[in-house]
Amino acid sequence: MSRVFVGRRRELSEARRLLGDARLLTLAGAGGVGKTRLALRLAAEVRRTFPDGVWLADLAPLQDGELVPQTVIAALGLQDHSARVPVDTLLEYLADKRLLLVLDNCEHVLDACAILAAKLLSEAEALRILATSRQFLNVEGEQVLEVPPLSVPDPDRLSAGGSFIEYEAVRLFAERAAAVVPRFAITAGNGAVVARLCQGLDGIPLAIELAAVRLRVLSVEQMLERLDDRYRLLTGGCRTALERHQTLRAAIEWSYDLCSPREQILWERLSVFSGEFDLEAVEQTCADEDIAQQDIFETVIGLVDKSVLAREEHGSRVRYRLLETIRQYGQTHLAESGQEKPLRRRHRDYYHDLAVRAGAAVMSSRQTEWLQRLRLLPNIRVALDFCLTEPGQAQAGLQIASTLQYYWLFYGLLREARQWLTRALKLDPRPTVIRSKALSAAAFIHLLQGDTDGALALRDEGNALARQLDDGRALAHATHICAMAAWAQGDLHDAIPLLTEALERARTDGDDPTETFIDQLFLAMTTALLGDGRSAARSAETLAAAESAGAEWSIAWGRWALGLHHFVQGDNRHATGLFQDALRLHRTFSNQWGYAWCTEALAWTAATDGQHERASRLLGATEATLRTIGGMGGFKLFAVAHERCETQLRHAVGDDAYAAALQRGTDLSPDQAVAYALGGQATTLSPAPSPTRAPAVLTPRERQVADLIAQGLSNKQIATKLVIASRTAEGHVENILTKLGFTSRTQIATWAAARERPVNEQPNGGWGREP
Ligand SMILES: Nc1ncnc2c1ncn2[C@@H]1O[C@H](COP(=O)(O)OP(=O)(O)OP(=O)(O)O)[C@@H](O)[C@H]1O
Ligand SMILES: [Mg+2]
């Protein structure tokens, strides 16, 4: 489709003026009148006046108003991993932003848009919203600009023989006509006829575009005659919106009638898609005894030629989309044809299959490619919606939502994933392996969101189900979650046997290589954190597994885990290099979760290297990222490590210098933060006066207990030795862990053994070092 923009000077200047005064401007008007096009143009023109940018949320593909806030979050390029209400995520992010948010095609989710706009505008003071909608939003402070059709010559001018090309509708026709018949131009000879045609089409750009295509087979005169016969609409003058709507409908109908029967059927069928789709999807979904699969390609070409189908290129892939008005027309026909249900089922089957293929590619070098490809998420949503609204289809819904587990994570759509899974789990309680996988996926998402209680309930259900089923795959899923839950709660010692078992089961009986990798990864991290002698081998193995699979995300995490091993061993140079490598990889697919973990880990190494400014800034950068994605999730250990690093820095440079450096980090944009983290040395802040070691925080008895731990004694042995009850000994150990911010006995042992040595000689095994 040609993309030349025609006219609209008056509307643009009016819209700019209104947008200067009002915080919400709605471009309202009939379907196909050019609201979206005008909004995009306006957005491009005013871009410079919004330091935080102009962002477009396309709401046309949505079926459900509930998804509006999430769509906006995604449109802003944010990833939210938290269990927060999406609106809160938006408010948090938009609070101090000077940006323009474009909400395109609000009409079918009008209430949700109105509520969201009102809320955002009332709390984000510098925010402006530009909406397009067939109906205005009816929000306080809203300014509405009725988008008129393109200008057409009036009958008087016509008879006086004016310069037709001055009129927008004529210009658009000429533009589009030239794309069909290369030498087409408006001349003294054809000008009046074109003008009458444009008038007959009420100056509606979509109608004009559809008409221009017909030049391939008809002259303008012939077209005019037919239009005349057909609608007798050439009375001129100003029409009401309703009449314009009829004109457009007539224009679309006319296009429809000009399609071959096969094209008509395909047009109807294509209306099951939402947003963009590709040829493969059309072939798999729309072919049957009425249209053979091998005819689909030709038929698609026919529809593109007739401007029914818009063609869009994304890198090396071509995708298609239907303009909303055209889709709706097709949908009406589809509903009448009685074919809707079988078609929606085939659509679901195709996207179900696609989801399974994507799920299988998570641990492969094609994972990034799939990440791009699955941007066809609106269709995944349609498929899920079918599963959850058609009786007896929920099992497929469970599978789609759970097989896409990691994609939801990569896209920052955990909340949505959780909603789908929760609904599907409730709808279909049958004890199946798919359910066990879905329970595992849901539990993992709860953990990532920091909802440990929710995760534990799902874990228990998964365990019970696995026992009931007595199936190796289900047992693998259940053990995986048990291990993850233990880890998330900071029970490293408990996690080791669970992770070992989970890994074993995943390898022998499991059906998900990603689960295997994650078990392996967490085992590597756990042994590293505990300073366990197996950690070098574990992390090397993990990285090797990731590299042989070739998936960038897994390689990034493999490097991260190896970095952690080196860090705990006190080899900061290697650790830093590996954390930076991991960050570089995360950058290739903008994984903000990955950013946070890497900048965080780089802060730990910088802090122990005495690079206080750098460490503080990196902590600030991490905090900024975490604020947008909604926290580190339920990984207690990292919260502990974060706090320890912070305490260390505060002691080193003083609260004020620390706060100032932290702020410098928080102020970095995500790109700047990544660049900074990948950069070389930063200046070292001179320490604030007397950052001498903090006074001993342990009681003499606790120190005694710590020493005994260092000698390798168990709680029971300590109790016997000190002649105290076992429970009392446990209590002392608990207190030591809390006071020192440690999570393991190994850390206490390292600390106790090393505490007489100067700080810079201690290995980082004590990153739970005495504060
Ligand atoms: N000023 C213009 N110059 C060139 N093409 C235009 C112009 N305005 C609209 N069009 C074209 O007309 C068609 C319909 O426009 P658009 O999608 O903006 O309509 P809309 O009012 O947003 O419709 P809907 O209500 O269905 O969303 C599109 O193909 C668009 O590119
Ligand atoms: Mg539109």
Side-chain angles (χ1 to χ4, degrees):
M1 253 188 202
S2 140
R3 288 282 144 203
V4 178
F5 184 81
V6 171
R8 298 293 199 194
R9 277 235 289 279
R10 212 175 47 77
E11 289 80 9
L12 280 166
S13 82
E14 176 69 359
R16 262 201 312 271
R17 190 183 64 74
L18 290 171
L19 201 57
D21 298 338
R23 302 199 29 230
L24 167 61
L25 171 62
T26 301
L27 303 180
V33 83
K35 302 177 294 295
T36 297
R37 220 36 222 282
L38 183 61
L40 294 179
R41 185 69 174 196
L42 179 64
E45 284 190 5
V46 299
R47 175 159 303 175
R48 288 233 204 99
T49 52
F50 291 94
D52 294 305
V54 172
W55 303 85
L56 172 74
D58 177 9
L59 305 179
L62 294 189
Q63 298 182 312
D64 181 355
E66 225 182 286
L67 289 176
V68 170
Q70 275 158 231
T71 309
V72 174
I73 289 178
L76 288 165
L78 302 177
Q79 298 181 351
D80 187 6
H81 296 288
S82 73
R84 281 184 298 194
V85 191
V87 177
D88 288 347
T89 308
L90 285 171
L91 287 175
E92 160 95 44
Y93 177 76
L94 292 172
D96 55 351
K97 296 284 186 300
R98 286 174 58 203
L99 63 76
L100 176 67
L101 176 62
V102 184
L103 300 177
D104 191 27
N105 278 74
C106 297
E107 54 279 331
H108 59 299
V109 283
L110 202 65
D111 289 344
C113 287
I115 294 168
L116 180 69
K119 180 94 187 151
L120 295 182
L121 290 171
S122 72
E123 301 198 23
E125 282 172 15
L127 171 72
R128 304 254 152 154
I129 296 179
L130 173 64
T132 83
S133 176
R134 293 184 196 167
Q135 227 181 316
F136 60 95
L137 271 59
N138 205 5
V139 167
E140 201 181 303
E142 177 184 21
Q143 284 281 0
V144 179
L145 177 67
E146 275 292 338
V147 179
L150 298 178
S151 61
V152 289
D154 68 31
D156 297 343
R157 279 298 293 260
L158 271 182
S159 47
S163 165
F164 302 108
I165 205 75
E166 277 169 31
Y167 296 92
E168 295 164 339
V170 176
R171 268 209 317 282
L172 178 62
F173 184 87
E175 283 288 346
R176 306 307 305 246
V180 179
V181 180
R183 282 179 311 283
F184 184 90
I186 303 287
T187 59
N190 68 8
V193 192
V194 171
R196 280 167 57 87
L197 182 71
C198 291
Q199 219 181 34
L201 295 169
D202 279 346
I204 301 168
L206 180 56
I208 293 172
E209 281 184 343
L210 292 172
V213 173
R214 259 153 249 157
L215 277 180
R216 199 168 288 140
V217 281
L218 298 174
S219 70
V220 186
E221 285 83 357
Q222 286 170 309
M223 244 193 281
L224 187 59
E225 279 161 25
R226 283 166 193 245
L227 186 68
D228 234 346
D229 290 350
R230 212 174 157 94
Y231 309 115
R232 287 182 252 295
L233 283 176
L234 297 177
T235 49
C238 195
R239 281 182 225 272
T240 65
L242 189 65
E243 282 166 331
R244 260 192 241 126
H245 179 73
Q246 285 162 352
T247 308
L248 178 64
R249 191 174 162 86
I252 292 177
E253 233 159 57
W254 192 14
S255 284
Y256 182 80
D257 292 347
L258 284 179
C259 288
S260 71
R262 213 184 262 156
E263 285 166 353
Q264 290 177 342
I265 296 178
L266 191 62
W267 176 344
E268 291 164 17
R269 294 185 177 180
L270 291 176
S271 72
V272 293
F273 290 102
S274 178
E276 293 175 0
F277 45 87
D278 61 14
L279 188 64
E280 181 187 286
V282 182
E283 285 172 343
Q284 299 298 322
T285 303
C286 300
D288 64 2
E289 59 277 11
D290 295 326
I291 316 180
Q293 194 161 317
Q294 65 268 25
D295 293 333
I296 293 276
F297 181 55
E298 285 296 319
T299 319
V300 163
I301 295 179
L303 290 176
V304 172
D305 282 351
K306 294 187 176 61
S307 285
V308 170
L309 201 50
R311 174 186 189 280
E312 319 207 339
E313 246 166 80
H314 295 268
S316 58
R317 299 191 80 86
V318 172
R319 295 201 192 129
Y320 307 96
R321 100 170 21 240
L322 290 169
L323 282 183
E324 193 49 25
T325 323
I326 292 181
R327 194 184 69 81
Q328 283 166 9
Y329 184 84
Q331 201 169 38
T332 316
H333 275 261
L334 182 64
E336 286 162 4
S337 74
Q339 287 291 310
E340 190 171 0
K341 204 175 272 183
L343 201 70
R344 288 199 66 193
R345 180 193 277 271
R346 286 209 298 273
H347 175 278
R348 191 278 313 274
D349 290 346
Y350 173 73
Y351 283 100
H352 175 274
D353 177 55
L354 194 75
V356 171
R357 283 194 277 156
V362 173
M363 275 303 283
S364 83
S365 58
R366 300 188 57 207
Q367 180 255 345
T368 323
E369 180 190 324
W370 275 100
L371 217 50
Q372 285 300 322
R373 184 148 181 209
L374 272 200
R375 290 244 168 242
L376 314 163
L377 263 180
N379 283 303
I380 296 280
R381 290 188 179 124
V382 172
L384 279 166
D385 187 66
F386 177 82
C387 294
L388 301 192
T389 48
E390 272 303 301
Q393 302 297 321
Q395 198 66 200
L398 279 176
Q399 193 167 23
I400 297 176
S402 54
T403 194
L404 292 179
Q405 179 179 356
Y406 303 101
Y407 291 91
W408 298 116
L409 173 62
F410 297 144
Y411 294 132
L413 292 172
L414 289 184
R415 185 186 307 108
E416 185 180 342
R418 176 170 162 169
Q419 284 165 359
W420 290 118
L421 282 165
T422 309
R423 279 175 63 192
L425 283 166
K426 208 173 277 169
L427 271 173
D428 188 342
R430 281 176 299 161
T432 58
V433 174
I434 290 178
R435 184 178 180 81
S436 81
K437 167 71 186 159
L439 285 168
S440 149
F444 192 54
I445 288 169
H446 279 69
L447 284 179
L448 294 175
Q449 289 186 322
D451 181 350
T452 313
D453 290 345
L456 294 181
L458 289 158
R459 173 199 67 182
D460 295 344
E461 197 188 334
N463 266 325
L465 176 62
R467 279 197 300 273
Q468 181 191 350
L469 289 171
D470 194 23
D471 179 286
R473 291 162 297 174
L475 283 163
H477 296 313
T479 336
H480 171 70
I481 284 306
C482 288
M484 290 297 123
W487 206 92
Q489 290 173 293
D491 305 331
L492 291 192
H493 285 287
D494 292 350
I496 290 240
L498 283 169
L499 282 165
T500 313
E501 186 191 337
L503 179 58
E504 199 48 44
R505 283 190 188 281
R507 276 182 176 150
T508 49
D509 300 325
D511 58 1
D512 182 354
T514 313
E515 224 165 71
T516 314
F517 175 73
I518 290 183
D519 291 332
Q520 201 172 8
L521 175 72
F522 276 73
L523 199 52
M525 296 200 294
T526 311
T527 48
L529 288 169
L530 290 174
D532 184 315
R534 289 166 292 185
S535 112
R538 289 279 187 210
S539 41
E541 262 167 38
T542 305
L543 182 54
E547 280 171 346
S548 77
E552 281 176 338
W553 73 272
S554 60
I555 299 175
W557 286 113
R559 299 216 169 129
W560 197 95
L562 189 58
L564 184 67
H565 162 77
H566 285 299
F567 171 63
V568 175
Q569 295 302 317
D571 183 351
N572 281 355
R573 202 172 57 82
H574 266 106
T576 304
L578 284 157
F579 292 145
Q580 287 180 329
D581 280 352
L583 182 56
R584 265 182 220 107
L585 282 172
H586 285 306
R587 194 168 53 170
T588 58
F589 47 99
S590 300
N591 183 347
Q592 291 177 28
W593 184 284
Y595 288 1
W597 285 51
C598 290
T599 49
E600 174 76 28
L602 285 165
W604 303 338
T605 55
T608 50
D609 275 344
Q611 296 180 40
H612 302 128
E613 167 75 22
R614 180 171 168 80
S616 311
R617 277 202 207 185
L618 287 168
L619 283 190
T622 309
E623 280 181 13
T625 313
L626 290 181
R627 220 171 286 151
T628 63
I629 67 175
M632 194 61 105
F635 294 109
K636 219 174 178 175
L637 271 169
F638 286 93
V640 171
H642 183 86
E643 258 169 51
R644 290 208 51 75
C645 185
E646 179 180 330
T647 311
Q648 189 183 351
L649 291 166
R650 283 185 192 281
H651 275 88
V653 299
D655 288 344
D656 292 347
Y658 169 72
L662 185 80
Q663 184 66 43
R664 285 191 281 279
T666 326
D667 288 346
L668 297 173
S669 71
D671 286 346
Q672 287 171 326
V674 171
Y676 181 75
L678 294 177
Q681 302 286 313
T683 46
T684 306
L685 262 193
S686 51
S690 65
T692 45
R693 297 187 69 180
V697 287
L698 300 191
T699 63
R701 181 38 69 89
E702 286 164 354
R703 279 172 178 275
Q704 239 177 333
V705 172
D707 288 336
L708 294 175
I709 291 175
Q711 290 165 28
L713 269 62
S714 70
N715 285 356
K716 217 164 164 190
Q717 291 166 322
I718 294 171
T720 316
K721 182 130 192 157
L722 298 179
V723 204
I724 52 176
S726 260
R727 290 269 297 281
T728 315
E730 278 164 28
H732 285 312
V733 176
E734 268 308 305
N735 287 344
I736 298 170
L737 289 170
T738 315
K739 284 184 176 177
L740 299 181
F742 289 165
T743 51
S744 72
R745 298 169 76 85
T746 314
Q747 288 173 315
I748 299 179
T750 317
W751 172 82
R755 78 193 143 114
E756 297 316 323
R757 282 191 278 152
V759 173
N760 57 8
E761 282 178 22
Q762 290 182 7
N764 294 330
W767 48 265
R769 191 178 302 140
E770 184 180 12

